[in-house]
Amino acid sequence: MSDLIIKIILEAIFASVASVGFAMVFNVPKHTLIYCAFGGAITYITRTIFLHLGLGIEISTFIASTFIGIIALYWSRKYLIPRPVYTVASIIPMIPGTFAFTAMISLVDMNSHGVTPELIESFIENGLKAVSILGAISFGLALPSLYFIRLNRPVI
C-alpha cells in the first residue's frame, strides 16, 4: 500500500510539472500557475486511483476529466479567469501519447516491412485506445460546463 502512495505522490509531482510547463508555454497569468499544477496533480491522481480500482483507462480518464471540469468551473467563477486556462493545462498529463506513438510506429512498419496481422492488430488496438481516451477527455471536460452553465438558462 505504501508503494502505491509513493507512486501516486511521484506521479502527481511530475504531472503538476508538466501542467505548469504547458501553461507557461501559453502565457497564462502567473497567479494561475499554482492552480494549473494542482489541476494536473488532481487529474493524474484521480485517474491512477480509478485505474488501481480496476476500471479501464478510458473510463478513468473520463472521470478524472469530469472532476477537473467541475473544479475548474468553480475556480473560473471564483477568480474570474476563463475555464480553459485551468482545464487545458490540467489534462495535458493524460494525453495518450504512448498509444498514439505505438499506432503510428505500427503504421510505418506496415509501410516499410509489409502488412502482417500483428501490425494491423497493434495499429487498430493502440489507435482506438488513443482516440477513445481523447474522446473521454473531451466529453469529460465539456460535460460539467454543459450541465452547470445551462442550469440557470432557459432551453430556448
Side-chain angles (χ1 to χ4, degrees):
M1 188 63 168
S2 66
D3 292 339
L4 177 66
I5 293 171
I6 292 171
K7 177 186 175 200
I8 288 174
I9 290 171
L10 285 176
E11 287 180 351
I13 291 169
F14 291 132
S16 64
V17 168
S19 295
V20 168
F22 189 81
M24 289 174 68
V25 167
F26 287 96
N27 284 335
V28 302
K30 286 182 184 178
H31 65 278
T32 62
L33 289 177
I34 190 73
Y35 298 105
C36 293
F38 282 140
I42 288 168
T43 55
Y44 213 81
I45 287 171
T46 306
R47 187 173 82 164
T48 303
I49 288 172
F50 282 111
L51 281 172
H52 185 71
L53 292 175
L55 284 121
I57 191 166
E58 297 88 355
I59 192 71
S60 300
T61 303
F62 174 75
I63 293 169
S65 297
T66 304
F67 191 57
I68 197 60
I70 293 168
I71 292 171
L73 208 66
Y74 170 74
W75 286 341
S76 68
R77 288 181 180 174
K78 184 176 180 183
Y79 301 112
L80 301 175
I81 300 286
R83 186 178 44 86
V85 168
Y86 304 114
T87 57
V88 172
S90 297
I91 56 100
I92 287 300
M94 295 193 304
I95 298 293
T98 303
F99 296 115
F101 180 77
T102 306
M104 289 299 108
I105 291 298
S106 300
L107 193 63
V108 169
D109 284 346
M110 280 191 273
N111 188 30
S112 60
H113 301 301
V115 178
T116 64
E118 293 82 19
L119 287 175
I120 293 173
E121 179 185 351
S122 174
F123 173 70
I124 291 173
E125 180 181 340
N126 288 305
L128 286 176
K129 194 169 287 272
V131 167
S132 61
I133 290 171
L134 289 173
I137 291 171
S138 301
F139 287 122
L141 287 179
L143 192 66
S145 62
L146 289 175
Y147 180 73
F148 289 115
I149 291 176
R150 180 57 68 185
L151 201 60
N152 296 328
R153 295 182 185 168
V155 177
I156 296 175

